[in-house]
Every structure is written in C-alpha cells, then in structure tokens.
Amino acid sequence: MAENTVSTGSTAGNGLTEVQQQAVTHLDGPLLVLAGPGSGKTTVVTHRIAHLVQQGIPPWHILALTFTNKAAGEMRERIETLLPDEQHHQRGLTVCTFHSFCARLLRRYAEFADLSPQYTIYDAADQRDAIKKSLSSVELNSKNWTPASIGGAISNAKNQLLDAEAYAAQAGDFYTRTIAKVYTAYQNLLHQNNALDFDDLLLISAKLLSQQDEVCHELRMRYQYLLVDEYQDTNHTQFIIAHMLAAEHQNICVVGDPDQSIYGWRGADIRNILEFEEHFPKAKVIALGENFRSTSYILQVADEIIQHNQLRKHKELFTNLGEGEKPQMVTCVDEHHEAEMIIDEFRRRHENDSIAWKDMAVLYRINALSRVLENVFRQEGIPYVIARGTAFYERKEIKDALAYLRFLANPQDNLTLNRIINVPTRGIGKTSWNRVEVNAQRNQMSMWQAMLQAGRIDGLSPRAIKALTAFSKMVSHWHSILETSDSKPQEDPVIHAGQFADLVERVIRESGLEGMHQQQKNEEDQQRLANLAELVSAAAEFSYPFQDELAEMNSDTPLAEQSVDNPEKMQANLPPLRMQLQAYLESVALVSDADAIDPSLGAVTLMTLHAAKGLEYEVIAMAGMEEGLLPHMNSMVEDSKMEEERRLCFVGITRAKRSLLLTQAGTRTLRGKREPTIPSRFLRECSADTIMRADFSEDHGGDDYLDTPMTHTSRERQADCDVSAGEFPVGCMVRHPKFGVGRVEGVMRRARGSTARIYFESVGLKTLVLAYAKLTPLS
DNA sequence: CTGGTCATTTTTTTT
DNA sequence: AAATGACCAG
C-alpha cells in the first residue's frame, strides 16, 4: 500500500513520518488512530481524505464528522489545498459536525422519522423554557425539581438512546419515575411545537438508522468511507450512528486520544475509543506518539500530571523540538494581579520575542474568570477576543429578531411565538394571550392557528382582537413572500442571494424591533440597532452550505452520476428562500464557542479549557490553578470526574508550543465573595525540576499594589523593572518598605520581568518582582 | 397592561 | 457581580 501512495505523489515528500504515512494510506477496513497531543492528527486526517480521493474514491462517498464547525471548516480548507482544485475533487465531500449532519439527515428523511421538515432546533435557553413549562404542566413545584437537573437527566437518557417511553419503562424509584413524567411531558411539548433539542438530533437520527432499513441502506451506499474525529468525546448515540453507517463496509476510521477525553459530563463515553478493537476485531491500530508541537519541558509537565490518572493506558510522549523553557508557576495576590502578571508576560513575549498577539491564549476553567482578564486587557490596550461564538446570538435584540425568523420558518412553534408576540409591546398582554392559549388547547391547534381566528375567541376585548389581527396580518404577509419563492425557481442567483437579507431586514423593520430602539437615543439602544444591522449583513453574507445536496435533491440523476465537469449545472438553482432561512437558522443554532476563533483578528484569545481542545498557541497562560476551580469543586468527590479534570489540565498544558505560564490568585472573588485559595493539586503532581515556581502573593508590598492599583500601569512597572534590574547586582544590599534591609542573592531575568531572590534579616529568603517591590539600593 | 424596584440566587464545562 | 424573578404602583 505504501508504494501505491508514493506513486500518486499526493503524500510523498510532505514530511509525514512513517507511522503517519501508514495511517494515511490505510484504505479499507476499520482503523483506530491514537493520536497524542500535537502528533499531527489533523495532518493525518486531511492527507488521508485526500489520499482516498486520489485513489479514485468519489468524494461523495466520504463522510468526515468533527466536533466543531471550526474544525470542519479547517479540515475542508486543508483538504482543498491538498487536491488540485480544477478537478473539483472535493465536490460532494461531507465534512461537518455530528449535529449538523444529523440535522440535515432529519430534514431530508423527516417523513421517516415522523417529523415535519420545518422543525426548529431548540437551544439551551429554549430547552429550559420548555422544561419549565413541562414541569408546571405535570404540576410539580420547581423548588425540588430544577429545570437544570431535569434537563441533565433527560439529556443523559437521550445520550443513552432512551426515549421518553423507554425511560419510563425502566424507571423504578420515585425520582426516576418523576423524571419520566416530566420527560414525557417535555417530549410532547417539543412535538407539539415541532421542535427538537440538541440531543434529539442525535437520538432520532440513531433511531432512524436502526429502524428504517431502507434509509439506512441508502446512507450506507452513500457514505462508504467514514471518519470520526475526536472519537474520545463521542457519546453512545453518536457511537450507534457511526456503527450503523459502518456496519456493512466497515470502512471506519476513528481518531482520538483517551487522555483528552473531557466531555464525560455530557455523555461522552471514553470506552468508545478504548474498546474500539473489541467492536471492530479486525481494526488496525496506529499510535501517533511523537509530539511536533511543544518543547520538552512543557511536555514533561503534562506527562507528569497525566501519569497520576489510574484508569489509563501508559503512553510515551516525546518530542524532538528541544528542551525549551521551563513552564512557570506563579502565585499572585488576587485575580487582578493575576491578570496583570499574565499581561506583563504576554507583552514581554510580544515585544522581546516578536510573538504575535494571535499566537497567545489565556485558558481558564470557568467563563466567570474571563471578566477580570477582559477588563485588564482592555485597560492595558492589548487586543483580545473571547471565544464565545454564541455571545452575539444571546443578545436580547438578536434573539428577538431570530425568534421572528424562527417563527416564520415554523409557525407551530408556540414557545417562540410567545417570545415575540408582545415584543415590541403591541397591547397583547398576559390575560389576552392566556385566552388564546386556552382556546388553542381546547381546539387542539397551534396558537398561531388560534390567532388567525381571534374573533371567535371568547372573552377577548375588541382591542386585543385588533392587536392580534394586526400581528397575524403582518406574519401572513411574510409567509406569502416565502411561498412565492417556494413556487418559482430562482433564475438570477445574485438577486436571490440578496433576497434573504432583504427578508431579514424587512422582518426587523416591519416587526417594529427596529423602531423600538430608534426611539430612545441612548448608548445601549444605539448598540442594539447596530447589532440588528449586523444581523442583516450576516444574512447577506450567508451562503447556502449544502449546494451539493440540493443539486442532488433537485435533479433526477444521483450526484454520483452527474458530470464532475459540469459544476454550472449545480449552481443553476439556488435554494428557495425557505430553505435558505432554514439552513441559516440551523447554522445559528449549532454554532459553538470555538467557532468564534479567528486568528486573522490579530488578538490574544481568551477561552475555556474545553474550547481550547484541538488548538495550539506559542504562548499559553492558564489562570485559576486552584483547588475548586481546576479541579473544579463539583468534580472532587468522584474519582472518574477527578481524572477528567486532570485530563482537562493536560489538554490545557499541551496547547502550548513554547511557553507556558500557570497562575494562581492568592485570594479570589467569586460570586461576590472574596476567599483565600489553595493551589491546585495538579501543581503538586509535577516536580521542581520541570517547573519554575514563584510566589508574589505577599512579597511585593501589598500596600503599593492595593492602595494605587490603577495609577501604576503594567507598562510603567515593566519600565521600572528594566531600569532596576541593573541597579541590583548580586550581593547588593537593599531596603524594602516592609521587610527592611536585605541582601540580593540572585537576579533572574525571567517571565514577567526581572525577579530577585533577597535574604532579609526579618523574614528570610524571599523572591520579589523588582517592578512591584519598592526596593531602595543601599550603597 | 406596563414598567419599574427590590430581593434572591447563582452547579462548570457545551453541541 | 450579575441576572433572574417576585412584587407593586401607576
């Protein structure tokens, strides 16, 4: 096989190692690639897909499933560079996340899954609302039964392939029986609203594949080569989907690293990867051990820590990139000081080592830590971005606008209608709306249908009827726009592309959302208006992502038989407005935080450890290395959870290519309470030889720092420091405002500027940052 | 029916 | 520290 590859010229000379090459050139049959951090996993995956295509396998027979949209996009791009594009080699190739694959599957085969293809995808917030509603319909007080815990239980059930019925059947004790009741009510509610939650996308797809032989067969024919990335983070449902697809041809290649499994809490089952060889006895296993990312000390720290996991197969981690610098562990006064220390380090790397801002990242366990960091980054004028892909879509005005669009796409969605019915206020209050709801329930119809005959509803004031009629007239008009587009195929793609943005703009204007913010001229409303405008331009830029599939659906010839040389044919019909709307809403519903990372912004990235999976940076800072944060408080009781925290720590550390800074705040204010902290146990798990430690939590004269935190910027401190470094040679005597007279034992030009080890008569040996400690030289 | 204020509450990570 | 929810006045 290896000879084969070389002759194609696709992979030869690309700098792949022997083992990587083996993984790339494996053609048929199950393949497990155990890919340690930085082992060139993405390279292998992309080369492998390119290799398959060059071996003559049509791209539309290949399906690659990834964890995030970002990963999918990158993979697509890299494959593109590997294949000569004049041949449209990647046409028909499917690279996407599990969730978007399933979402599309369910639209296409909706009838087989007892669904309407217009279904809405509910996000976490919608899900919460729906659970609340179900709770009240089952008449439970939500004191003991929080939506969060119920939601978690339902999600777990779905991840184990248990639908409401199956769950109820196996429910034994009071607790599970209660959950079963809510689960059933919740599922009925979703069905009534023609909505699916994230887990449903997977669960229903899995059921579709196992229960509809024809559909399953069709999909097996279509996707003859399956590739699953980040396999260690797949859950049971995803496992079933992958297995159903691969059962016959067995051409399944999974890639992952058990040491980087960090989504157990969300149902990911690490056994999927550990027991792959049992599920596919003929599997070939290839282990990629060599690390091409990090220098040796960084890797050693990661290794020392991960070795403390008991439930783990040992794996050699090695690199040829040289020793590098030792990672640094720094204890700071509090979170503000911590942020400044990180920024000092980053600025030094930027100025002295010419490392671009985009090659640096700060990682933390919980999002709450980003706030302080963000403030200090802004203060110091350092460009930064927070990896929160969903942030934009969580703004009220955007959610409102999207709710209108969602309702437009799926008029059965009462929950969404409920959100917009009186936004902006149009005189439809609680009581009137309740009457509509009661009426809808009595007549077994959606609230939208009930609204259309508002005149017949008892007890409504003429005023309320008028308001309701006005609203339904407005929406009906939008519907007619969609219907016009449905019935006539678009001939001019350019005009058509603009039509979607026009629709969005029209909805924002005619719904009154725009006017709502135009009235007041305060800063906040200005921003909201700007956000709404941004939504319109995002809609203008949105391009329908499933051209290939659409061509396949519209044409009588299956894609496989269409001429590859005739791409114009595929471009001829752009999707009707409705499909574009659906695809847009789908893409919005499935964005992830990591999707927001855009290196071209030239900014430092701030993100959670989870979002950092799969990424790499020259310089990494990990903030909040404290007991209760990492490992997180809620993971401390169970061993398996603790091990996952350790893996999380491992993932963070192994993101760093050259420089790693771990920080702890001596005291931290969380939820408005300031409390002293204890250093993370993970720090105790690595030896003094591999990590440099410094404690600045008390020695730099708390007075200076606490009294005038803002008058002294870090830049000034840095300047101070550079001047002072020369002023304190070893052996020199100094005076410290708090500790008195001392003797300089050593000066280190390390990390965040120079530090000195000084022996004081009063307190003994201390390590001080010259920039902070107000030292006076005594000649 | 609307829009304020006050009190209470935060389970970590997310498709 | 911030966000939700309950409650109340207009």
Side-chain angles (χ1 to χ4, degrees):
Chain A
M1 261 189 241
E3 296 89 323
N4 242 342
T5 327
V6 176
S7 67
T8 64
S10 70
T11 49
N14 273 343
L16 294 176
T17 63
E18 181 77 18
V19 237
Q20 288 179 333
Q21 188 81 346
Q22 273 176 37
V24 166
T25 54
H26 174 95
L27 276 183
D28 294 327
L31 171 67
L32 165 64
V33 180
L34 291 167
S39 60
K41 185 189 69 175
T42 313
T43 310
V44 166
V45 168
T46 50
H47 275 79
R48 194 177 125 78
I49 292 173
H51 180 251
L52 287 173
V53 173
Q54 297 199 322
Q55 291 297 301
I57 291 154
W60 52 86
H61 283 330
I62 302 172
L63 169 64
L65 296 171
T66 60
F67 199 73
T68 62
N69 296 302
K70 172 108 186 310
E74 265 169 19
M75 202 175 282
R76 244 178 270 126
E77 259 169 47
R78 286 181 63 171
I79 292 168
E80 214 164 303
T81 62
L82 292 173
L83 291 169
D85 47 273
E86 71 275 9
Q87 289 177 46
H88 304 280
H89 262 324
Q90 56 282 29
R91 222 196 58 198
L93 178 70
T94 310
V95 184
C96 63
T97 64
F98 257 105
H99 285 86
S100 55
F101 175 71
C102 291
R104 272 196 276 162
L105 208 65
L106 295 181
R107 290 221 198 273
R108 180 151 182 191
Y109 297 100
E111 50 183 315
F112 296 92
D114 191 25
L115 269 177
S116 144
Q118 323 248 321
Y119 72 83
T120 305
I121 300 171
Y122 275 3
D123 65 20
D126 304 321
Q127 201 179 353
R128 219 179 99 248
D129 291 349
I131 291 174
K132 271 191 189 161
K133 221 167 170 190
S134 316
L135 271 168
S136 63
S137 79
V138 183
E139 284 171 347
L140 280 168
N141 63 330
S142 54
K143 276 243 164 87
N144 301 334
W145 306 90
T146 68
S149 67
I150 303 261
I154 293 177
S155 178
N156 281 339
K158 288 184 177 177
N159 288 334
Q160 284 161 56
L161 228 55
L162 292 171
D163 58 23
E165 216 177 318
Y167 186 87
Q170 57 96 66
D173 54 44
F174 174 70
Y175 178 77
T176 41
R177 269 184 289 138
T178 310
I179 301 275
K181 257 174 39 191
V182 187
Y183 188 177
T184 309
Y186 170 72
Q187 219 52 42
N188 287 340
L189 186 67
L190 288 191
H191 190 253
Q192 198 183 30
N193 288 291
N194 190 20
L196 301 181
D197 64 22
F198 289 132
D199 300 313
D200 281 334
L201 295 174
L202 302 175
L203 173 67
I204 299 176
S205 297
K207 288 210 296 199
L208 178 73
L209 282 164
S210 24
Q211 289 167 9
Q212 302 284 338
D213 292 344
E214 259 177 64
V215 175
C216 186
H217 178 72
E218 201 173 308
L219 289 166
R220 281 175 182 169
M221 289 298 103
R222 165 75 199 258
Y223 302 111
Q224 293 180 17
Y225 287 84
L226 181 58
L227 196 143
V228 184
D229 194 17
E230 307 283 10
Y231 194 62
Q232 77 282 353
D233 283 320
T234 51
N235 62 33
H236 185 64
T237 316
Q238 291 168 322
F239 169 87
I240 295 294
I241 292 169
H243 276 240
M244 286 308 295
L245 288 173
E248 250 167 55
H249 51 64
Q250 299 255 318
N251 295 326
I252 177 171
C253 166
V254 304
V255 187
D257 177 7
D259 287 337
Q260 294 182 62
S261 165
I262 54 175
Y263 282 92
W265 51 274
R266 180 177 114 172
D269 192 342
I270 196 169
R271 286 175 307 179
N272 287 349
I273 192 163
L274 293 177
E275 296 167 5
F276 184 77
E277 293 162 80
E278 285 155 47
H279 301 129
F280 293 98
K282 288 180 188 157
K284 176 165 185 178
V285 182
I286 294 176
L288 305 175
E290 182 170 0
N291 182 304
F292 302 102
R293 177 186 297 153
S294 312
T295 45
S296 177
Y297 275 124
I298 291 171
L299 208 55
Q300 276 177 52
V301 170
D303 193 39
E304 277 178 338
I305 292 174
I306 201 68
Q307 297 237 11
H308 286 76
N309 271 2
Q310 303 299 309
L311 312 162
R312 167 180 188 261
K313 264 197 265 183
H314 176 74
K315 187 169 61 195
E316 214 58 56
L317 295 176
F318 56 101
T319 178
N320 273 320
L321 297 180
E323 267 192 345
E325 285 173 41
K326 285 190 183 180
Q328 305 228 18
M329 167 61 212
V330 170
T331 307
C332 313
V333 180
D334 58 15
E335 62 271 25
H336 298 99
H337 184 212
E338 178 184 49
E340 291 186 2
M341 290 289 234
I342 290 171
I343 284 169
D344 281 354
E345 164 76 356
F346 280 13
R347 185 179 273 133
R348 202 180 68 83
R349 295 282 172 183
H350 183 69
E351 286 168 6
N352 298 1
D353 304 344
S354 310
I355 294 177
W357 295 125
K358 69 171 171 54
D359 294 320
M360 308 184 193
V362 188
L363 312 182
Y364 36 79
R365 178 66 232 265
I366 61 171
N367 281 307
L369 293 203
S370 73
R371 183 157 271 119
V372 174
L373 288 161
E374 209 180 335
N375 287 339
V376 182
F377 268 93
R378 206 178 307 135
Q379 254 167 45
E380 302 281 332
I382 293 182
Y384 72 92
V385 275
I386 297 194
R388 289 215 95 202
T390 50
F392 180 71
Y393 301 103
E394 276 164 9
R395 315 185 80 102
K396 279 172 243 99
E397 65 277 16
I398 298 302
K399 275 180 114 171
D400 289 338
L402 288 172
Y404 275 96
L405 294 171
R406 265 162 57 153
F407 178 63
L408 205 50
N410 174 18
Q412 268 187 65
D413 189 349
N414 297 336
L415 249 65
T416 298
L417 176 58
N418 186 48
R419 180 181 178 95
I420 55 174
I421 187 66
N422 208 23
V423 177
T425 50
R426 42 173 75 90
I428 305 173
K430 242 188 208 155
T431 32
S432 309
W433 192 232
N434 271 340
R435 295 224 161 89
V436 178
E437 184 171 23
V438 169
N439 185 274
Q441 273 166 2
R442 195 167 37 220
N443 295 315
Q444 303 256 344
M445 50 169 68
S446 68
M447 291 179 78
W448 167 241
Q449 284 170 314
M451 270 182 79
L452 286 173
Q453 15 186 305
R456 293 197 214 156
I457 299 174
D458 294 334
L460 282 182
S461 65
R463 224 171 138 184
I465 293 178
K466 207 177 155 205
L468 287 166
T469 316
F471 182 86
S472 32
K473 259 181 104 176
M474 173 175 78
V475 174
S476 297
H477 180 229
W478 297 334
H479 278 150
S480 70
I481 296 175
L482 283 179
E483 273 149 28
T484 315
S485 163
D486 284 347
S487 55
K488 90 171 170 229
Q490 297 302 314
E491 272 156 29
D492 186 343
V494 180
I495 290 176
H496 185 85
Q499 272 183 2
F500 176 52
D502 287 347
L503 176 72
V504 175
E505 195 177 10
R506 175 189 283 265
V507 168
I508 290 173
R509 189 163 10 91
E510 294 179 357
S511 65
L513 281 180
E514 196 178 54
M516 200 167 111
H517 300 298
Q518 265 170 347
Q519 306 206 334
Q520 298 131 354
K521 282 281 181 207
N522 59 46
E523 192 83 5
E524 204 187 355
D525 279 301
Q526 293 287 311
Q527 184 58 51
R528 296 201 160 150
L529 224 46
N531 288 334
L532 288 172
E534 199 180 323
L535 190 72
V536 175
S537 48
E541 274 168 42
F542 178 75
S543 64
Y544 190 78
F546 315 128
Q547 288 292 332
D548 295 351
E549 198 158 302
L550 188 77
E552 205 176 338
M553 278 155 85
N554 286 349
S555 127
D556 298 332
T557 11
L559 184 62
E561 287 163 34
Q562 285 177 22
S563 168
V564 183
D565 305 321
N566 188 13
E568 292 77 25
K569 194 176 162 193
M570 315 194 66
Q571 295 293 324
N573 294 342
L574 264 166
L577 213 40
R578 187 187 300 277
M579 290 189 65
Q580 212 164 339
L581 174 62
Q582 254 171 20
Y584 177 74
L585 292 173
E586 187 175 300
S587 75
V588 167
L590 298 176
V591 284
S592 68
D593 285 347
D595 298 341
I597 299 166
D598 181 359
S600 70
L601 293 172
V604 174
T605 308
L606 274 53
M607 70 189 133
T608 62
L609 286 161
H610 284 90
K613 186 172 74 158
L615 305 173
E616 60 177 26
Y617 293 87
E618 295 291 332
V619 179
I620 287 283
M622 284 169 69
M625 296 299 296
E626 296 143 30
E627 284 290 294
L629 269 181
L630 184 67
H632 192 270
M633 208 149 51
N634 299 352
S635 302
M636 307 237 263
V637 267
E638 272 173 67
D639 284 353
S640 64
K641 286 190 175 180
M642 182 56 80
E643 297 215 339
E644 183 155 307
E645 295 292 309
R646 195 173 277 109
R647 291 194 292 267
L648 203 47
C649 185
F650 176 79
V651 166
I653 291 171
T654 53
R655 300 309 95 197
K657 291 162 98 167
R658 284 155 60 182
S659 163
L660 176 66
L661 171 66
L662 307 161
T663 58
Q664 176 211 351
T667 68
R668 185 179 295 280
T669 315
L670 228 45
R671 286 205 228 106
K673 273 239 152 60
R674 155 165 298 238
E675 272 172 2
T677 68
I678 299 165
S680 167
R681 68 190 66 191
F682 301 144
L683 298 169
R684 266 180 279 130
E685 295 172 352
C686 44
S687 59
D689 311 338
T690 47
I691 203 164
M692 295 234 333
R693 293 165 207 257
D695 188 336
F696 302 132
S697 57
E698 34 188 336
D699 10 273
H700 66 53
D703 306 337
D704 302 349
Y705 170 68
L706 291 174
D707 286 348
T708 53
M710 295 313 153
T711 53
H712 229 119
T713 68
S714 279
R715 190 185 291 279
E716 282 158 355
R717 285 200 188 111
Q718 186 76 43
D720 288 350
C721 158
D722 288 339
V723 173
S724 12
E727 285 175 33
F728 301 105
V730 175
C732 150
M733 300 299 286
V734 295
R735 177 184 293 283
H736 184 275
K738 204 165 152 192
F739 302 127
V741 178
R743 181 173 182 275
V744 178
E745 300 287 346
V747 180
M748 292 167 290
R749 287 163 192 277
R750 290 282 165 194
R752 312 133 308 286
S754 306
T755 61
R757 297 192 321 139
I758 301 171
Y759 186 83
F760 291 103
E761 286 158 12
S762 53
V763 286
L765 198 61
K766 283 275 177 186
T767 305
L768 305 183
V769 182
L770 295 178
Y772 287 97
K774 285 274 181 280
L775 293 173
T776 336
L778 301 171
S779 57

